[in-house]
Structure formats: C-alpha cells, structure tokens
Amino acid sequence: MTSIVGSAFADCEKLTSITIPNSVTTIGYAAFYGCSNLTSITIGNSVTSIGYNALGYCTGLTELVIPDSVQYIAGGAFVCCENLTDVVIGDGVGTIDYDAFQLCTKLENLTIGENVVNIELRAFADCS
C-alpha cells in the first residue's frame, strides 16, 4: 500500500488510533475526515504529502507530529481539529497551504520546521 485514497476512512467514528506504515507516501483527500474519536495518529516516515481535508474535523486529536518526510500540507488538512493543542511540523515541509489548521482553536504550542518557505493565506486562521 502506497497511498490512502480519498475518503477511505471518512466519518469512522469508532476509529481511535492510527499508525500509518512507512510504505505509505500519500494521505489522500479527506482520508480520515470526521473521525471525531480519533485521539492518536502516527504518520510513517515515508509520507510526503497530506491531502486536502485529510484529517479535518478530527476533534479528538490533541497532539500532532508531522515527520520530516512530509513536504506538503494541503488546504484544510487539519481544519476544525478543535482540541489540537500541540503541533510539530517537520523540517521537510516546504508549504503549509490555505486553511490547513483553520479553527484549531486550542492550539497553544506550534513548532514549524526550518524549511517552510510558504505559509499560505489563513493557514492558521481563527486559532485563538
């Protein structure tokens, strides 16, 4: 398996934990969208892109570590992850697209990797 296709696990409310294996390179569009009870995700070291709305509305997430292998975080990738408090974005990321972390209202600690060159419009909008 090299990619998790769009909406593959969308709205799986009983899903609480995910470990994405190192064979996966792409987390597709809305792959885990609306998995509201998801509290833990481990992203494998081969993932290079996180798609549009990939983990949007995963309201149970509180911590997130994006590995250095990830180069691109698409728009709305983590939109409305309202309980997310701690985010570490690895050094491989070059672009954080529009609305990527919009409405992550409890975000307190954010570490952005050294190689980020583009933080697009509203990437962290409404993060009070």
Side-chain angles (χ1 to χ4, degrees):
M1 177 172 67
T2 59
S3 66
I4 300 172
V5 298
S7 301
F9 298 95
D11 297 316
C12 289
E13 293 180 8
K14 292 186 178 187
L15 190 62
T16 60
S17 178
I18 301 168
T19 299
I20 298 174
N22 288 332
S23 61
V24 172
T25 58
T26 304
I27 301 172
Y29 165 85
F32 298 99
Y33 184 89
C35 294
S36 57
N37 291 310
L38 180 65
T39 59
S40 171
I41 183 167
T42 302
I43 300 172
N45 290 323
S46 294
V47 172
T48 58
S49 66
I50 300 173
Y52 178 79
N53 273 346
L55 286 120
Y57 290 86
C58 290
T59 55
L61 282 178
T62 58
E63 297 178 355
L64 175 65
V65 176
I66 298 172
D68 291 342
S69 61
V70 175
Q71 300 167 9
Y72 177 70
I73 301 171
F78 301 96
V79 67
C80 291
C81 290
E82 60 191 27
N83 288 307
L84 198 57
T85 59
D86 298 285
V87 174
V88 175
I89 298 172
D91 288 336
V93 175
T95 298
I96 302 170
D97 215 342
Y98 68 96
D99 298 336
F101 292 89
Q102 181 187 21
L103 291 167
C104 293
T105 55
K106 293 184 181 173
L107 187 60
E108 295 176 2
N109 302 301
L110 174 64
T111 302
I112 297 177
E114 293 181 14
N115 295 317
V116 172
V117 292
N118 293 313
I119 298 176
E120 298 295 339
L121 186 66
R122 300 180 50 83
F124 296 92
D126 305 311
C127 294
S128 54

